[in-house]
Amino acid sequence: MSAPVYDRVALIGLGLIASSMFWAMKRAGLAGEVTGYARSAETRATAREIGLCDRVCETAAEAVEGADLVVLCVPVGAMGAVAEQIAPHLKPGSTVSDVGSVKQAVIDAVGPHLPETVHFVPSHPLAGTEHSGPRSGFATLFDNRFTLLVPVEGTDPEATARLRALWEGMGANVEEMDAEHHDLVLAVTSHAPHLIAYTMVGVADDLRRVTDSEVIRYSAAGFRDFTRIAASDPTMWRDVFLNNKAATLEILGRFTEELFALQRAIRTGDGDQLFDYFTRTRAIRRGIIEAGQDTDAPDFGRVLPRPAGKTEAGKTEAGKTEAGG
Amino acid sequence: MSAPVYDRVALIGLGLIASSMFWAMKRAGLAGEVTGYARSAETRATAREIGLCDRVCETAAEAVEGADLVVLCVPVGAMGAVAEQIAPHLKPGSTVSDVGSVKQAVIDAVGPHLPETVHFVPSHPLAGTEHSGPRSGFATLFDNRFTLLVPVEGTDPEATARLRALWEGMGANVEEMDAEHHDLVLAVTSHAPHLIAYTMVGVADDLRRVTDSEVIRYSAAGFRDFTRIAASDPTMWRDVFLNNKAATLEILGRFTEELFALQRAIRTGDGDQLFDYFTRTRAIRRGIIEAGQDTDAPDFGRVLPRPAGKTEAGKTEAGKTEAGG
C-alpha cells in the first residue's frame, strides 16, 4: 500500500456515493483519516454502527476542521447551503469537491461561498445503484466506471491532479470536461432516461383498465428494467431536474420529436422505418459491451430468487441464470 | 420423470423461444419427439449442429406431419402465411398454438386457415432476453415467468388444460386471459417500454453535440439499461408494433401526456410535484421484487468483465459484484 493521497478527508452527506468512497479509500489506503457528517441523527448513528468513517462528527464544521479534502455528497439542491456553512472552517490550501450529477448549477451555488485560499474541483462519478443511504455503499462501486472532473477556470492543476489520483485509486477512469458539456452529456446518458423511466412507471401505475397486480406479475416483458431506474432516490432526482433544466428539456424535446415520428410510422404501418430504426440502435449496445461498460450476459445475468413454496419444474440446471425480458 | 404431455411436438421457427422450449421440454421429459423447421437453411444447419430438436425438417409440412402439438414461433407478421402452409398437413385432433407477443392479430391471421378438426390455443410466454437466434435458448428461460393462454371462444377445455400442463412442466406460471385484455396489458408492460427505449437510444445516437463515444463511455449513469431492450430483434418488434397498433398508441398517448406534465414541472420549478411522482413509482418496484419477478441486488447484480490490460485498483473484494447506474 502506498502513501495516502490525502492525510484527512471529510465526507459531508453519508449516502450511497459517500459510503462507497469511504470503503474504496480504505481498500486502497488512500486517506489517513476520514471524517463524516450527515444532517440526520439516524444516519450518523447508522454510520457509527457499521464503521462508516473513522470519525462521525455532530456538525459539518467539526468534520471539515483540518481536512485536506472536503467532498460534498449531498443532493444538488443542498450544496449551496452546506458550502456556506463550512466555508469559515475550511483549512487554507485544502481542496473542496462534490459528487453532484449536475455541474454548472453546483459551481454557481458553491463557488461564491468558498474562500480564495481553497481549491474548488467539482467531480461526478458516473456510478450508482438504485439503492440509497449509508448502508448501500460498497468498495467496488467505482471500479472501471468513469469519474468526470470539471475544474473551473484558474484552478491549480496540482489540486486537480491530486483529486484525479484519489479517484483513480478508488478504481475509476478519470476524464476532464467543462461544466456545460458535462450537463448536456449527462442529460442524454442519465437525466432524460431517468425522467422517461419515471414517467412510464407512473403511467402503468395510473391505468384503470390494467391493475397494479397485472403490471407487477407481467413486468418481465420489459417494464421491470424501467422500474429499477424509477426506484432511485426522489430527492436527488428532483434536484437534478431542477438544476439541469435547459439540457434536460432540450433532450426531452428531441426525444418527443422522435417518438412522434415512430408513433406515426406505427399508425401508417411503415414497417421499413421501424425496422431500420430498431436495427440502428443495436450498434450502440454493442459499443457499450465492447467498452466494458455493460455485461453481454442475457438479461444482465440476473439471478432471480425462487419464491418460497414454488416447486421445481423438472430438473433445473444448477447455478444456471434465470432470465426473462 | 413422468409420461410425456405430448407424444409429438413440432416447433415452427427456431429462435430464442423455440430453442428454449426444446431444452425445457427435454429437461422435464415433456415430449416424445420434437421436430423443428426454420425457413433459413443456415438456421436449420445450426439447429442440427447443436442438437436443437430431435429431427430438423426441410419443410414445415414435414415437421407438422403427425404432430400432436404444433407451436408457431415465427414473428407475428409471418404467422398467417405459416398457418396457411401447414393447414393441409395438420393431424385431426391435434393442437395448434403460437408464442406471439400480440394475440388478437394472430388469432385473426391464423384462425381462418385452420381446419375445424384441430384445436387452436394461442399462448404467450412473458420471457425472453435481448439475444435472438437458435443458439440463444436455454432450459430455464420460463422458470417462474408467466405464460398467458388466450383460448378463443369454443375451445375444447381439455386441449387448453393439456397445453397448460406443458407450460407448467417447462417451469412457467400459467394464466388465462382474453385477447383484447392481453394486448392492452402487454402494451403497458412490454410494447410501450420497448418503443420508448428504442427512441431514447436513437436520440442519443443522433445528437451532433454529444459523440457516440461519449454516449458509450458514460452510459452507466442509466442509459445502458435502455440499450439492452433496444438491442432486441428488429423483425419481431416491427411486427409487434404493426399488429398491436391501437393499444400501443393508446399507452404512448398516455405516456406523452404525463411526460409533458413532468416537463412542465421541471420548467416551472415545481419540485413538490416531481418529488411526489418519483416517490410513488418506488412502490411498483417493491411489488415486482416481492412477487419474485426481479432481483433486489443493486444494479440487477450485474457482473462486469474487467477489460484486458486494466490494472486493479488496490485490493478488490473477491467475487464482489461491480455495479454502476
Side-chain angles (χ1 to χ4, degrees):
Chain A
M1 206 171 290
S2 45
V5 179
Y6 295 97
D7 284 335
R8 287 273 321 279
V9 175
L11 302 172
I12 308 301
L14 296 172
L16 169 66
I17 298 297
S19 54
S20 295
M21 288 181 72
F22 176 74
W23 300 118
M25 286 189 279
K26 285 293 146 180
R27 180 183 71 172
L30 301 169
E33 187 196 29
V34 180
T35 58
Y37 168 76
R39 196 178 52 171
S40 136
E42 191 188 335
T43 301
R44 295 196 299 274
T46 301
R48 287 187 183 110
E49 181 197 330
I50 64 177
L52 172 60
C53 294
D54 299 314
R55 188 157 50 89
V56 177
C57 304
E58 287 300 300
T59 66
E62 187 191 338
V64 308
E65 201 82 53
D68 304 293
L69 172 69
V70 174
V71 189
L72 309 182
C73 307
V74 299
V76 167
M79 295 273 183
V82 170
E84 186 175 14
Q85 212 180 323
I86 62 171
H89 309 277
L90 293 169
K91 176 174 151 180
S94 68
T95 294
V96 171
S97 187
D98 75 292
V99 296
S101 304
V102 173
K103 295 272 65 86
Q104 190 58 58
V106 169
I107 291 169
D108 294 345
V110 171
H113 295 296
L114 301 183
E116 292 205 351
T117 53
V118 308
H119 309 291
F120 181 31
V121 188
S123 72
H124 181 200
L126 307 189
T129 77
E130 69 277 25
H131 296 180
S132 44
R135 294 183 192 274
S136 60
F138 49 96
T140 56
L141 179 64
F142 309 112
D143 282 350
N144 199 35
R145 300 278 75 76
F146 283 88
T147 290
L148 302 178
L149 298 186
V150 184
V152 294
E153 221 183 288
T155 301
D156 178 5
E158 168 58 30
T160 304
R162 202 163 160 198
L163 188 63
R164 173 189 280 267
L166 180 76
W167 278 108
E168 288 177 347
M170 290 191 288
N173 306 317
V174 178
E175 298 285 349
E176 291 184 30
M177 201 178 271
D178 69 48
E180 190 192 1
H181 193 61
H182 168 280
D183 289 356
L184 178 65
V185 168
L186 268 289
V188 180
T189 59
S190 181
H191 306 168
H194 272 80
L195 195 75
I196 288 164
Y198 276 122
T199 305
M200 185 65 230
V201 175
V203 167
D205 187 38
D206 197 38
L207 287 171
R208 294 234 175 83
R209 289 160 62 209
V210 178
T211 66
D212 273 8
S213 155
E214 286 175 321
V215 168
I216 286 168
R217 286 150 66 93
Y218 309 138
S219 66
F223 179 75
R224 65 178 175 172
D225 283 16
F226 283 57
T227 65
R228 185 187 80 81
I229 293 181
S232 303
D233 184 55
T235 305
M236 171 188 158
W237 283 98
R238 176 198 63 196
D239 285 4
V240 165
F241 296 121
L242 294 180
N243 289 282
N244 196 17
K245 276 188 200 189
T248 303
L249 292 175
E250 176 188 336
I251 301 301
L252 290 173
R254 285 294 309 272
F255 171 84
T256 310
E257 201 177 283
E258 293 280 311
L259 184 63
F260 283 171
L262 291 175
Q263 278 181 251
R264 188 169 179 280
I266 293 174
R267 199 182 298 278
T268 61
D270 188 343
D272 290 345
Q273 187 184 343
L274 296 172
F275 182 85
D276 291 347
Y277 203 95
F278 302 163
T279 302
R280 192 158 62 84
T281 52
R282 279 189 145 177
I284 287 242
R285 177 77 186 162
R286 275 196 299 276
I288 288 170
I289 289 164
E290 282 160 17
Q293 294 300 312
D294 207 347
T295 172
D296 192 32
D299 215 11
F300 301 125
R302 277 181 174 103
V303 179
L304 302 186
R306 183 171 290 279
K310 168 130 176 100
T311 57
E312 292 206 6
K315 294 171 292 180
T316 56
E317 296 167 34
K320 179 98 193 196
T321 295
E322 285 188 44
Chain B
M1 203 170 292
S2 46
V5 179
Y6 294 98
D7 285 335
R8 287 274 321 278
V9 174
L11 302 172
I12 309 300
L14 296 173
L16 168 66
I17 299 297
S19 55
S20 295
M21 288 181 72
F22 176 75
W23 301 118
M25 286 189 280
K26 287 292 147 180
R27 179 182 72 173
L30 300 169
E33 187 196 29
V34 180
T35 58
Y37 168 76
R39 196 180 51 171
S40 135
E42 191 188 336
T43 302
R44 296 197 298 274
T46 300
R48 288 189 182 109
E49 181 196 330
I50 64 176
L52 172 61
C53 293
D54 298 314
R55 187 157 51 89
V56 177
C57 304
E58 287 300 300
T59 67
E62 186 191 338
V64 307
E65 201 83 52
D68 304 293
L69 172 69
V70 175
V71 189
L72 308 183
C73 306
V74 298
V76 166
M79 295 273 184
V82 170
E84 187 175 12
Q85 212 179 324
I86 62 171
H89 309 278
L90 293 169
K91 175 174 153 181
S94 67
T95 293
V96 171
S97 186
D98 76 290
V99 296
S101 303
V102 172
K103 294 272 66 85
Q104 190 59 56
V106 169
I107 290 169
D108 293 346
V110 170
H113 295 296
L114 302 182
E116 292 205 352
T117 53
V118 307
H119 309 290
F120 182 31
V121 188
S123 73
H124 181 199
L126 307 188
T129 77
E130 69 276 27
H131 296 180
S132 44
R135 295 183 192 274
S136 60
F138 49 96
T140 55
L141 178 63
F142 310 111
D143 283 350
N144 199 34
R145 302 277 75 77
F146 283 88
T147 290
L148 302 177
L149 299 186
V150 184
V152 294
E153 220 183 288
T155 301
D156 178 7
E158 168 57 31
T160 304
R162 204 163 157 199
L163 188 63
R164 172 189 280 267
L166 180 76
W167 278 108
E168 288 177 348
M170 289 191 289
N173 306 316
V174 178
E175 298 286 349
E176 292 184 29
M177 201 177 271
D178 69 48
E180 189 192 2
H181 193 61
H182 169 279
D183 289 355
L184 179 65
V185 168
L186 268 289
V188 180
T189 58
S190 181
H191 306 169
H194 272 79
L195 195 75
I196 288 163
Y198 276 122
T199 305
M200 185 64 228
V201 176
V203 166
D205 186 38
D206 197 39
L207 286 171
R208 293 234 175 82
R209 288 162 60 209
V210 178
T211 66
D212 274 8
S213 154
E214 286 176 321
V215 167
I216 285 168
R217 287 150 66 94
Y218 309 138
S219 66
F223 178 74
R224 65 177 175 173
D225 283 16
F226 282 56
T227 65
R228 186 187 78 82
I229 292 181
S232 303
D233 184 54
T235 306
M236 172 189 157
W237 282 98
R238 175 198 64 197
D239 284 5
V240 165
F241 296 121
L242 295 181
N243 288 282
N244 195 18
K245 278 187 200 190
T248 303
L249 291 175
E250 178 188 336
I251 300 303
L252 290 173
R254 285 295 309 271
F255 171 83
T256 311
E257 201 178 283
E258 293 280 313
L259 184 63
F260 283 170
L262 291 175
Q263 277 181 252
R264 188 169 180 281
I266 292 173
R267 199 182 298 277
T268 61
D270 187 344
D272 290 345
Q273 187 185 341
L274 295 173
F275 182 85
D276 291 348
Y277 202 95
F278 302 162
T279 303
R280 192 159 61 83
T281 53
R282 279 190 145 176
I284 286 241
R285 176 78 188 163
R286 276 195 298 276
I288 288 171
I289 289 163
E290 281 160 16
Q293 294 299 311
D294 208 348
T295 171
D296 192 30
D299 214 11
F300 301 124
R302 276 183 175 103
V303 179
L304 301 186
R306 182 171 292 276
K310 168 127 174 107
T311 56
E312 293 206 6
K315 294 170 292 179
T316 55
E317 295 166 35
K320 178 97 193 197
T321 294
E322 286 189 44

